């Protein structure tokens, strides 16, 4: 996220157990807004919203969004099931507004 920008992330993450038979998996949706002021670090504006109900086969599975103020980025982080190989895929829709690319009326 650049300086003087605001971004909204709409994140969908899906997991499936690797192999011919899939007994573990889940689907997760998150919505969050982040801002970065001039000469500042990225920060969460408000809270991360869970959209709908997480659909998962094991209650310990999860998805979170992690800030990195050194790189000024947001990264999805997943928690799987111990001893189980999972394949994860994410679709991230970014809506960005920047003072550099916008015009105030």
């Amino acid at each position: 996220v650049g300086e003087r920008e605001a971004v909204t992330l709409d994140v969908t993450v899906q997991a499936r157990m690797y192999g011919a038979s899939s007994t573990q998996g889940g689907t997760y949706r998150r919505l969050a807004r982040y801002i970065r002021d001039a000469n500042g670090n990225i920060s969460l504006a408000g809270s991360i919203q869970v959209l709908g109900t997480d659909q998962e086969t094991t209650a310990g599975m999860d998805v979170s969004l992690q800030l990195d103020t050194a790189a000024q980025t947001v990264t999805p982080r997943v928690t799987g099931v111990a001893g189980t190989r999972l394949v994860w895929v994410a679709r991230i829709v970014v809506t960005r507004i920047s003072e550099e690319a916008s015009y105030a009326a």
Side-chain angles (χ1 to χ4, degrees):
V1 176
E3 291 185 23
R4 301 186 322 180
E5 282 189 337
V7 298
T8 299
L9 301 181
D10 183 346
V11 180
T12 302
V13 177
Q14 186 173 1
R16 182 187 189 283
M17 187 172 162
Y18 182 82
S21 176
S22 180
T23 59
Q24 298 287 336
T27 302
Y28 308 84
R29 295 248 355 251
R30 303 289 184 264
L31 182 68
R33 181 173 177 267
Y34 296 90
I35 58 172
R36 183 173 172 209
D37 292 330
N39 300 313
N41 287 321
I42 185 174
S43 62
L44 177 64
S47 60
I48 298 172
Q49 302 296 309
V50 174
L51 300 180
T53 302
D54 291 345
Q55 300 172 353
E56 56 196 9
T57 54
T58 302
M61 297 172 66
D62 197 18
V63 171
S64 63
L65 301 176
Q66 185 175 33
L67 283 176
D68 180 347
T69 56
Q72 304 302 333
T73 59
V74 180
T75 304
R77 304 295 284 194
V78 298
T79 303
V81 178
T84 303
R85 187 173 174 192
L86 296 168
V87 177
W88 297 85
V89 64
R91 180 184 62 92
I92 303 171
V93 177
V94 179
T95 305
R96 177 185 315 262
I97 186 168
S98 169
E99 288 183 27
E100 300 296 320
S102 301
Y103 300 95

